[in-house]
Amino acid sequence: MADPIGPFEQLDFLYVPSRDVAADRDHFTDVLGGRLVFAVESMGTRVAAIELTSSPPLVLLTDHLEGDRPILVYRVPDLEAALATLESRGWEREGTFDIPQGPCSSFTMPGGHRVALYQLARPEAARHFDGRRDF
């Protein structure tokens, strides 16, 4: 059930830009003690997933994300309903797209903060990359 103050269920991912994913991955694991979930390289893009705690959010380091600010990726029970709620408060809709877990919509707030909402339609997708070490 969504929280009364908004449509958000949980912050599941911090999608973090990285200039050097391998070096950042090593720092997050070797220095901070995080657990590497996966390190995938495909079509010229690197993404490493790090668990710092036993519960979310998962840190996703990537070299294809523009800018210096992370994207806060929140799970919502119903993406269309969540977007409608935010639109009723003055938020302007941008495009929606799919991530492995389900439909997603991201936007940039006037101050530059980046937020994405997604609906968990394919919970099994998260395990697809677990244990993969391309780099």
Side-chain angles (χ1 to χ4, degrees):
M1 180 63 77
D3 190 299
I5 62 169
F8 310 102
E9 281 186 328
Q10 179 172 292
L11 176 63
D12 279 349
F13 309 108
L14 295 176
Y15 202 44
V16 181
S18 172
R19 291 179 188 87
D20 185 339
V21 177
D24 288 341
R25 171 205 62 204
D26 292 347
H27 197 81
F28 269 83
T29 57
D30 298 344
V31 176
L32 297 180
R35 182 182 77 84
L36 180 64
V37 177
F38 63 77
V40 174
E41 185 167 13
S42 180
M43 297 183 290
T45 297
R46 285 182 162 185
V47 178
I50 312 292
E51 250 181 10
L52 290 175
T53 61
S54 60
S55 59
L58 187 67
V59 177
L60 298 170
L61 303 166
T62 184
D63 59 5
H64 73 277
L65 191 58
E66 296 293 322
D68 291 325
R69 290 193 181 193
I71 300 175
L72 307 176
V73 185
Y74 285 91
R75 181 176 1 124
V76 296
D78 180 324
L79 182 61
E80 284 304 316
L83 297 178
T85 296
L86 296 178
E87 285 176 330
S88 74
R89 297 177 183 165
W91 172 76
E92 294 183 23
R93 184 183 294 237
E94 293 180 10
T96 58
F97 50 92
D98 267 352
I99 61 173
Q101 293 83 356
C104 184
S105 183
S106 68
F107 54 96
T108 303
M109 297 171 57
H113 301 286
R114 303 192 295 181
V115 176
L117 308 178
Y118 85 100
Q119 181 177 330
L120 184 58
R122 296 178 291 274
E124 71 285 352
R127 292 185 299 278
H128 177 74
F129 295 111
D130 282 2
R132 186 166 157 185
R133 306 286 191 277
D134 294 353
F135 63 94

